[in-house]
């Protein structure tokens, strides 16, 4: 594999960039693989990479219905954080943060990890207390967190509405300085390129249409490009999980919902941090291109449409102007939607299933992008060892029966309630 | 050179009697009424407008309207400043100020142009391959540099002074676009009696009829357009909207339109909104959005002065402006010849370069008859001129058209290019229409519709006037017939237009010999042919991968002029036909929309409604400091003199414990519950027993969600046999009502019960403290307030001054207390009355902070404890859970994890030093010297200064709480660098037996 | 913005309604002996089809009635709505 660097870039510039190799090949599916990963999104690609790198399993195929990176890894708002209250989430996402820090170097692909700090604005003492509970929990778990006062915030986001008379004055905030953003497409492509180089077959335009299960064991998958044998299948298709689970007669505590995001036109650097509004559904960061990347809440009804409707966009931007009134004269350039696997407690599921050799990675709700490295890492472990990793041991299906649910929001099994 | 580029053949729509002054990059120019910023600048010979995104190349105008990718400017100053405005969309208004963006120090000399010099090092996706070493440099050096270089214009830093409105419309037929097909369909639909809205993005109706030399009936196209508009204007069932763009097509035939209301008016009234957003729910939508001309890729095809042929024609015909005086027309089709003819009308002889071998089209012949020779089988290989084009290298194409046989340099001051036409299918595609590829026009057109949307005219790939008009009249009639019974068709008039020969499938010129100039596809994002080649070479073969890797079509213009050319090039390299390559998704909005307009009037204090109790004015007059409780504003405390919050709160709370306090509890949710099955219903909703509650008694109840978590709590009273009054927490009032309705309507429809919110019908006033009985006795002399007459959890109806009042003996403070409810309108009167009578009992008002203090001391739970993650056991409410009956959520309580004895449960905490207040949100740990990750036993949910014991007290929820009582632990807040040794005590810190409330 | 036909009030825009999820869920009878698995199925497990979905909506800013909607989760097309005690026609 070619090494990417400023030297290779300069060298290739003098040959008109005609000697760059493909980032990943386009192979025909083989008859059999040791492991098949269904879903060529971030999590699937990362899982294949870690299967090869950490476990030496390289006879692996990733089956992607469309084109790799076309689902949620290419549709999210690129935020990375580990600012969770509950230990199971905190340790898992913090492990991910450590992987993010060196991911560009590890993948030899610049994923533009940018720890620009994520700030949750608080608008009342009660909210500051709730944030303090989470922030203290983070600190006790060894995760960075600081409280910010109004004066701190005025220096960081001076154009926000700091008037005392606005509808929900800013009291302060909780910040995770190491939180930030990364370039979403690069993450998918970087993992794909490395996985490919270690022997993983990335097979695009290959839709899984069924599974061969015998005596409770997986034996192969049926696809639009023929049947492929395997003893292990990992499902990494958040957004479409229940569609595949239906083929396996598996019922899951998951609903599909559409989450929209939008960007403004690019403007010169203004907003350095990732900021979430505490009195409405709005968060924002400014991309390296200059666009304000904005999101908020689910459209609020089951949906598999990768597009949303105006009321939620209006609702989110209304929250946006409540905190950043100067954004009013910016223009909204583009909106899009992604399908969320909303689990019934808001936390993911990474687990073995009742079918031997079938492994499940789903239920990412709004937060799958930041989990890409850690999810791939522990899922690869779960598949390779046929045993859950310590970090995903709480993300099991059993918790909905035992009661050990991990509900960060506390709204219960109604995912459409923000 | 003021206005030296005005056309001599003046038949346009500008008013030369009205001069308009404007400033561009500090220089004052003038244009005329009817000009756009673009046409006025071009008329003044200004083509250099801005710099491109990546390479900072000098850029001018490509188009004349929404398709413009290059000519973006920063408009106005200060709080009205606006970045990334397309100059072709700005109507000239006196005093307009614009400047170039993305350049420094000036648009003529821009340091950033170094990127262009070094452009060979910055191919598509270069940033993925580098800037990785050393690791620390990314965040500190590389990324800030990239951010600064990108970004185009500057965002204003101040709030927007303008106002924006929303409007909701319904109609039978919405027609989008007022070209020939749009006008025809609107006329046919309107004459057939349908309610029609006709939306036109531009300031003038007519679309292509304003620039095309055609006749309809016995009129010119332009006259027919104007005549049709007059007819439509006179019809009451028609709404005509210009400067109005339908930018989004959403579910269930909801479209959204943005109307530019006042930017083009010199001094708009203060109350005129700047823009208006229309939500239009249409029965049928006719998409007559026309088509956009395609550019051609050739060497340095982005220089200022290189424009679309149709744009050049529109500048001449509508704005009486010449894009140049030494034009080259470069085309692969016949339509550009109409531009040539327009130049000829202005006594300018164009050079014509046509990639085709020949053409017998009428316009071509007409041009030839004027003595103009045409360079067939030729193309432009390259151009020269740094800040403005000054010459072109014209090459003779070989038979394969893959290379040039010979090249010549020709002087020029503009190139007008035409690569054919792309139907504007955005709205159809947004509506869910699966597009199909039309080989005849080499473009996608709408096919299978999913919503009530019909594309006609050029948007449907119908490029002749006859066809457009015929489709328009037919579709307008057919669709309107769904809504009216008039069955009144309008016939399409005869029309005349030139005939056209077919275009050539050639959109990318070969490179000139020995050189490799950039041949741009996407101008705004600086994506060239070589970038697409590189993407495919590197395996980014899906069209979506090409788009994302090269950023083709992702700029502000969303690829209006570039997407199809990109596709065509991918299909050429991949040797696939275009439909196999597919197209990327068309997402709303069609063009960028001002965020302020999307938000409308819900800005500032109107962000969300503010709810105030009827007693609010009294609180204001009495120095209350307010706190938001959801949408409500509640008095937090009432400081006296220079008191700070803590002293005020302690005073208020202590006064309740000692004398009597009064608190506005109007915000509590109230639900009226009636029906013979009401007791049974409550028995199912609450965890405790309700069947035997006597009339005239209240009871505290806890309700769960089905997953076993505590949902809400409150007191409910039985007013009569079948009539109950429920109270909820302020936060959950609306959710509890929906919850009750769900169970009554969905789960147990057999129960005969009705529920109704009465939150706003009642004012609630809590009167609490040892002297409350004496005070109330005085206020209600006819009520027996004795413990026997009105015992704890009793209620009685009475009145003051003829105002009906209901008195509940309930208590949140843990003191002897009452709650007086009166109709909302009398709330303020009664409050004042109680205050007046209370003076002799040392009454003081208390706010939410003192209310919290009082309940925390008593160990009463509230929102901080009932956070949606606790079951009754966790918060000391197990005694509320009936073992005898079933109720919502009960089955969940027997889950394994919910029956573990060492679950986190509620306790009290007192700091060992009896001084240090424990911050809420602290966590409880055993070992103060441990290093992270440190095991947490639980957290501090509520804290107060106990006025009873005069030391801090907190409620915490900690693992195996009951067995921790008496132990010493640490409450830590690493965020505040605080660690406090604490003793665990019972959460019932004051009066654990509850003797006071029953006294 | 969806347009939903409330069976009591007629067609209204989505912003008058709130969503209530899978309408096929049947709450177990009160007092019924029920396995943990069956109970959890009721509390946490849902139909989640791509296509026709039977769901509840609540006309919160209107008549405050809960009712059933048959809607396509891929296209958002609404096939039918009906009162709780009625069945869909399509």
């Amino acid at each position: 594999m070619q090494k990417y660097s400023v030297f290779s870039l300069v060298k290739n510039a003098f040959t008109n960039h005609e000697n760059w190799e493909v980032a990943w090949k386009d192979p025909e599916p083989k008859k059999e693989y040791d492991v098949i990963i269904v879903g060529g999104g971030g999590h699937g690609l990362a899982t294949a990479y870690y299967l090869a790198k950490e476990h030496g399993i390289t006879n692996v195929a990733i089956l992607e219905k469309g084109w790799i990176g076309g689902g949620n890894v290419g549709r999210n708002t690129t935020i990375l954080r580990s600012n969770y209250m509950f230990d199971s989430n905190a340790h898992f996402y913090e492990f991910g943060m450590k992987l993010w820090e060196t991911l560009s170097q590890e993948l030899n692909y610049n994923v533009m990890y940018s720890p620009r700090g994520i700030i949750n604005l608080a608008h009342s003492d009660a909210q500051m207390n709730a944030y303090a509970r989470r922030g203290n929990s983070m600190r006790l778990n060894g995760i960075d967190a600081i409280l910010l006062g109004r004066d701190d915030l005025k220096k960081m986001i001076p154009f926000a509405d700091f008037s005392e008379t606005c509808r929900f004055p800013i009291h302060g905030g909780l910040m995770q300085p190491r939180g930030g953003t990364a370039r979403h497409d690069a993450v998918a492509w970087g993992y794909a390129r490395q996985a490919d180089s270690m022997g993983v077959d990335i097979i695009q335009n290959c839709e899984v249409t069924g599974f061969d299960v015998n005596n409770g064991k997986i034996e192969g998958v049926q696809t639009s490009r023929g049947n492929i044998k395997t003893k292990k299948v990992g499902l990494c298709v958040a957004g479409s999980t229940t569609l595949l689970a239906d083929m396996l007669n598996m019922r899951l505590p998951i609903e599909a919902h559409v989450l929209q995001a939008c960007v403004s036109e690019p403007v010169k650097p203004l907003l350095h941090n990732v900021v979430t509004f505490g009195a409405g559904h709005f968060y924002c960061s400014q991309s390296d291109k200059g666009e304000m990347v904005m999101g908020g809440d689910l459209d609020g009804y089951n949906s598999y449409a990768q597009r949303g409707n105006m009321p939620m966009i209006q609702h989110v931007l209304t929250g946006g102007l409540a905190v950043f009134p100067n954004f009013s004269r910016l223009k909204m350039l583009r909106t899009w939607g992604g399908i969320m696997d909303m689990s019934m407690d808001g936390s993911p599921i990474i687990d073995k299933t009742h079918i031997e050799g079938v492994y499940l990675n789903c239920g990412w709700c709004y937060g799958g992008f930041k989990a890409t490295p850690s999810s791939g890492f522990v899922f690869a472990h779960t598949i390779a060892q046929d045993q859950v990793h310590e970090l995903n041991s709480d993300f099991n299906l059993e918790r909905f029966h035992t009661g050990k649910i991990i509900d960060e929001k506390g709204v219960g099994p109604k995912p459409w309630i923000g | 050179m003021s206005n030296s580029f005005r056309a001599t053949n003046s038949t346009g729509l500008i008013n030369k009697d009205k001069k308009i002054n404007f400033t561009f990059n500090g220089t004052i120019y003038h244009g005329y009424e009817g000009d756009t910023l673009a046409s006025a600048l071009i008329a003044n010979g200004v083509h250099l407008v801005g710099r491109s995104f990546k390479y900072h190349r000098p850029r001018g105008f490509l188009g004349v309207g929404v398709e413009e990718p290059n000519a973006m400017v920063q408009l106005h100053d200060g709080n009205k400043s606006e970045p990334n405005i397309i100059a072709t969309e700005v109507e000239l208004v006196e005093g307009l100020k614009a400047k170039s963006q993305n350049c420094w120090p000036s648009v003529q000399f821009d340091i950033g142009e170094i990127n262009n010099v070094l452009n060979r090092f910055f191919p598509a996706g270069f940033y993925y391959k580098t800037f990785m070493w050393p690791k620390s440099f990314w965040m500190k050096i590389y990324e800030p540099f990239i951010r600064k270089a990108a970004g185009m214009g500057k965002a204003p830093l101040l709030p927007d002074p303008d106002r924006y409105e929303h409007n909701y419309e319904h109609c039978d037929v919405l027609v989008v676009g007022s070209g020939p097909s749009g006008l025809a369909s609107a006329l046919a639909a309107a004459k057939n009696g349908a309610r029609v809205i006709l939306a036109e993005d531009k300031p003038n109706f007519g679309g292509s009829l304003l620039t095309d030399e055609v006749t309809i009936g016995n009129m010119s196209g332009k006259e027919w357009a104007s005549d049709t508009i007059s007819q439509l204007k006179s019809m009451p069932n028609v709404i005509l909207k210009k400067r109005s763009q339908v930018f989004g097509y959403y579910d269930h035939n909801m479209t959204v339109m943005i109307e530019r209301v006042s930017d083009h008016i010199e001094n708009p009234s203060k109350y005129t909104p700047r823009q208006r957003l229309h939500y239009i729910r249409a029965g049928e939508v006719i998409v007559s959005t026309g088509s956009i001309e395609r550019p051609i890729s050739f060497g340095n095809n982005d220089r200022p002065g290189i424009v679309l042929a149709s744009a050049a024609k529109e500048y001449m015909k509508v704005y009486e402006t010449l894009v140049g005086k030494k034009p080259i027309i470069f085309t692969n089709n016949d339509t550009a010849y109409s531009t040539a003819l327009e130049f000829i009308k202005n006594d300018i002889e164009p050079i014509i370069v046509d990639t085709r071998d020949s053409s017998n089209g009428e316009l071509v012949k007409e041009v030839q008859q004027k003595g103009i020779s045409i360079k067939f089988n030729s193309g432009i290989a390259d151009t020269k001129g740094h800040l403005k084009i000054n010459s072109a290298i014209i090459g003779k194409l070989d038979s394969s058209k893959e290379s040039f046989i010979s090249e010549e340099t020709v002087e020029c001051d503009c190139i007008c290019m035409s690569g054919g036409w792309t139907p504007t299918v955005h709205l159809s595609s947004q509506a869910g229409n699966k597009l199909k590829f039309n080989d005849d026009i080499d473009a996608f057109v709408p096919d299978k519709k999913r919503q009530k949307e019909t594309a006609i005219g050029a948007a449907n790939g119908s490029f002749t006037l006859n066809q457009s008009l015929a489709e328009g009249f037919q579709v307008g009639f057919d669709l309107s017939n769904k809504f009216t019974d008039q069955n009144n068709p309008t016939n399409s008039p005869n029309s005349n237009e030139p005939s056209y020969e077919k275009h050539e499938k050639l959109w990318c010129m070969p490179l000139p010999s020995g050189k490799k100039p950039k041949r741009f596809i996407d101008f705004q994002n600086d994506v060239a042919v070589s970038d697409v080649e590189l993407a495919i070479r590197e395996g980014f073969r899906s069209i979506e991968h090409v788009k994302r890797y090269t950023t083709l079509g992702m700029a502000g213009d969303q690829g209006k002029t570039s997407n199809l050319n990109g596709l065509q090039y991918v299909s050429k390299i991949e040797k696939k036909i275009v439909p196999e390559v597919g197209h990327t998704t068309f997402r709303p909005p069609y063009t960028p929309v001002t965020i302020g307009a999307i938000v409308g009037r819900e800005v500032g204090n109107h962000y969300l409604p503010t709810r105030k109790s009827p007693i609010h004015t009294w609180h204001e007059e009495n120095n209350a400091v307010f706190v938001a409780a959801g949408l409500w504003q509640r008095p937090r405390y009432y400081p006296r003199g220079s008191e700070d919050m803590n002293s005020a709160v302690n005073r208020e709370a202590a006064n309740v414990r000692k004398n009597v306090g009064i608190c506005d509890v109007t915000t509590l949710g109230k639900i009226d519950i009636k029906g013979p099955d009401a007791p049974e219903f409550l028995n199912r909703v609450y965890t405790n027993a309700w069947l035997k509650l006597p009339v005239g008694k209240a009871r505290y109840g806890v309700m769960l969600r089905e997953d076993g978590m505590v949902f809400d709590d409150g007191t409910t009273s039985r007013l009569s046999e079948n009539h109950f009054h429920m109270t909820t927490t302020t936060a959950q009032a609306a959710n509890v009502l929906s919850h009750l309705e769900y169970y009554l309507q969905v789960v147990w429809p057999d129960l005969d019960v009705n529920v109704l919110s009465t939150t706003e019908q009642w004012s609630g006033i809590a009167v609490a403290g040892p002297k409350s009985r004496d005070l109330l006795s005085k206020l209600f002399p006819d009520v027996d307030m004795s413990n026997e007459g009105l015992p704890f959890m009793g209620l009685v109806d009475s009145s003051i001054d003829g105002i009906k009042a209901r008195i509940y003996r309930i208590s949140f403070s843990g003191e002897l207390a009452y709650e007086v409810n009166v109709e909302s309108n009398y709330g303020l009167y009664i409050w004042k009355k109680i205050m007046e009578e209370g003076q002799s009992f040392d009454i003081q008002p208390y706010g939410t902070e003192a209310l919290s203090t009082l309940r925390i001391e008593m160990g009463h739970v509230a929102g901080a404890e009932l956070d949606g993650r606790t079951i009754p056991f966790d918060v000391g409410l197990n005694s509320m859970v009936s073992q005898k009956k079933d109720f919502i959520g009960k089955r969940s309580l027997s889950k394994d994890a919910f029956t573990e004895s060492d679950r986190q449960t509620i306790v009290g905490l007192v700091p060992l030093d009896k001084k240090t207040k424990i911050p809420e949100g602290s966590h409880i740990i055993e070992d103060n010297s441990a290093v992270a990750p440190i095991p947490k036993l639980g957290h501090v949910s509520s804290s107060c200064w106990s006025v009873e014991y005069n030391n801090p007290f907190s409620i915490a929820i900690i693992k195996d709480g009951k067995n921790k009582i008496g132990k010493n632990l640490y409450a830590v807040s690493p965020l505040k660098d605080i660690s406090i040794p604490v003793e665990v005590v019972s959460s019932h810190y004051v009066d654990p037996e509850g003797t006071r409330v029953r006294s | 913005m969806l347009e939903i036909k409330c069976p009591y009030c007629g067609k209204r825009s989505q912003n008058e309604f709130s969503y209530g999820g899978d309408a096929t869920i049947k709450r177990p009878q009160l007092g019924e002996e029920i396995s943990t698995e069956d109970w959890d199925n009721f509390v946490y497990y849902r139909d989640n089809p791509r296509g026709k979905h039977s769901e509840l909506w609540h006309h919160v800013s209107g008549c405050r009635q809960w009712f059933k909607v048959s809607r396509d989760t891929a296209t958002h097309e609404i096939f039918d709505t009906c009162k709780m005690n009625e069945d869909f026609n399509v």
Side-chain angles (χ1 to χ4, degrees), chain A residues 17 87 114 125 314 408, chain B residues 120 279 537 636 869 936:
Chain A
H17 301 285
D87 292 352
S114 184
D125 283 356
Q314 182 184 324
E408 292 270 345
Chain B
R120 70 160 68 194
Y279 280 94
R537 186 176 303 135
R636 191 175 189 187
R869 306 180 194 96
K936 302 175 288 290

Side-chain angles (χ1 to χ4, degrees), chain A residues 80-102 113 118 137-145 176-180 370-375 378 391 395, chain B residues 932-933:
Chain A
L80 315 177
R81 59 188 177 90
S82 57
N83 55 358
Y84 281 84
M85 186 164 73
F86 289 120
D87 292 352
S88 328
N89 279 327
H91 294 313
F92 173 79
Y93 288 106
E94 180 57 17
F95 175 72
M97 289 301 285
K98 298 210 165 79
L99 293 176
W100 278 114
E101 281 161 12
T102 55
Y113 164 67
I118 176 160
S137 184
M138 290 164 65
R139 288 281 287 269
L140 292 169
N141 276 325
I143 300 169
D144 59 322
Q176 184 183 17
R178 283 159 63 247
K370 62 181 174 289
T372 307
S374 41
S375 162
V378 301
L391 286 170
F395 297 148

Side-chain angles (χ1 to χ4, degrees), chain B residues 643-952:
Chain B
E643 251 180 354
D644 65 7
M645 184 170 89
N646 286 339
S647 4
V649 170
N650 289 350
R651 169 181 53 72
E652 289 171 14
N655 191 59
V656 172
R657 295 264 184 256
K658 189 175 158 217
N659 300 308
V660 58
I662 176 171
C663 182
D664 185 352
V665 292
T666 300
T667 61
L668 286 182
K670 302 171 217 47
I671 298 171
D672 202 58
I673 301 175
K674 269 185 183 164
D677 294 322
E680 171 63 23
F681 181 52
L682 291 172
N683 212 42
R684 296 178 185 187
V685 166
Y686 282 126
T687 59
N688 50 344
W690 284 80
L691 296 179
K692 290 176 185 159
L693 179 71
V695 172
K697 282 283 188 182
R699 183 168 285 173
Y700 174 67
V702 173
M703 54 178 90
L704 309 185
R705 303 189 309 228
E706 293 286 17
D707 66 354
M709 300 299 164
V710 178
F711 176 40
D712 199 47
D713 68 343
T715 55
T716 292
S717 333
R718 190 165 200 168
L719 305 178
S720 68
E721 187 61 24
N722 296 335
H723 188 190
F724 291 78
H725 173 81
M726 175 186 276
T727 63
T728 75
T729 60
T730 302
Q732 295 287 16
N735 296 337
V736 170
L737 182 65
S738 291
H739 178 79
L740 300 182
E741 286 167 335
Y742 171 82
Y743 282 95
L744 284 173
Q745 297 170 23
V746 179
V747 183
W748 302 310
D750 52 313
L751 291 185
D752 190 358
V753 181
N754 263 301
V755 292
L756 186 72
S757 169
T758 53
T759 302
E760 285 163 7
Q761 274 60 46
W762 294 99
S763 263
I765 300 165
V767 181
K771 295 182 184 170
S772 59
R773 174 175 287 135
D774 295 343
L775 170 56
L776 285 204
S777 299
K778 209 172 158 194
L779 281 159
F780 299 97
D782 52 344
V783 176
D784 176 5
M785 291 284 174
S786 71
N787 210 12
E788 295 72 37
L790 182 56
F792 180 54
M793 287 301 194
L795 65 102
V796 63
D797 283 334
S798 182
S799 65
I800 307 184
D801 299 346
I803 298 161
K804 279 195 281 181
R806 185 168 290 145
I807 304 151
Y808 302 85
R809 188 166 159 204
I810 54 178
S811 175
F812 192 46
S813 57
E815 293 298 324
L816 169 67
Y818 302 84
E819 196 183 306
V820 180
N821 277 18
V822 294
E823 276 181 44
S824 288
N825 292 348
Y826 298 111
L828 181 58
Y829 177 83
I830 299 298
W831 174 279
K832 283 181 175 167
K833 185 91 187 172
I834 298 172
M835 278 304 294
E836 202 181 297
E837 290 294 343
Q839 291 311 310
S840 49
F841 301 93
D842 296 314
I843 196 168
Q844 288 181 21
Y846 63 103
T848 55
E849 287 295 328
L851 185 76
S852 288
T853 295
L854 296 165
R855 72 94 186 164
I856 293 167
E857 281 189 320
M858 287 287 165
H860 291 169
V861 292
E865 289 76 34
L866 309 181
D867 65 355
R869 306 180 194 96
T870 45
I871 59 172
F873 176 79
D874 305 347
V875 286
L877 293 172
N878 237 16
S879 63
M880 293 293 298
V881 178
S882 166
Q883 301 304 315
K884 292 183 188 147
K885 55 144 198 175
D886 199 0
F887 52 85
I888 292 169
K890 184 178 190 182
R891 180 65 182 79
S892 288
L893 296 180
S894 56
K895 278 174 179 274
D896 294 349
F898 291 6
T899 53
E900 284 171 2
S901 61
D902 63 347
R903 281 182 68 84
Q904 293 191 345
T905 47
I906 188 167
V907 294
L909 299 176
V910 177
L912 295 187
D913 69 359
K914 302 275 175 112
K915 279 186 210 150
T916 315
K917 208 173 156 182
I918 308 166
E920 284 146 325
S922 299
H923 287 259
I924 308 303
I925 62 170
E926 251 165 0
D927 178 2
N928 196 30
S929 59
V931 288
I934 302 169
K936 302 175 288 290
L937 296 173
H939 75 284
V940 176
S941 55
S942 303
S943 290
C944 71
W945 185 272
S946 166
V947 289
E948 182 86 8
Y949 296 107
N950 202 25
N951 58 249

Side-chain angles (χ1 to χ4, degrees), chain B residues 327-343:
Chain B
I328 294 177
I329 311 283
F330 177 34
T331 184
N332 68 358
N333 69 85
D334 277 5
T335 59
Y337 285 81
S338 62
T339 305
L341 287 165
E342 200 57 34
F343 273 114

Side-chain angles (χ1 to χ4, degrees), chain A residues 175-226:
Chain A
M175 177 172 182
Q176 184 183 17
R178 283 159 63 247
T181 57
R183 171 84 193 132
H184 55 5
D185 287 335
V187 176
W189 300 340
Y191 274 119
R193 178 167 164 266
Q194 286 293 348
D196 172 272
S197 78
M198 288 187 281
V200 172
D201 279 0
I202 296 171
I203 301 165
Q204 303 184 78
N205 301 308
C206 181
E207 183 176 1
V208 171
T209 54
F211 294 91
D212 296 322
V213 179
N214 240 324
N215 294 325
K217 282 186 192 173
I218 188 82
E219 293 185 344
V221 298
Q222 301 147 19
T223 80
S224 57
R225 293 173 73 172

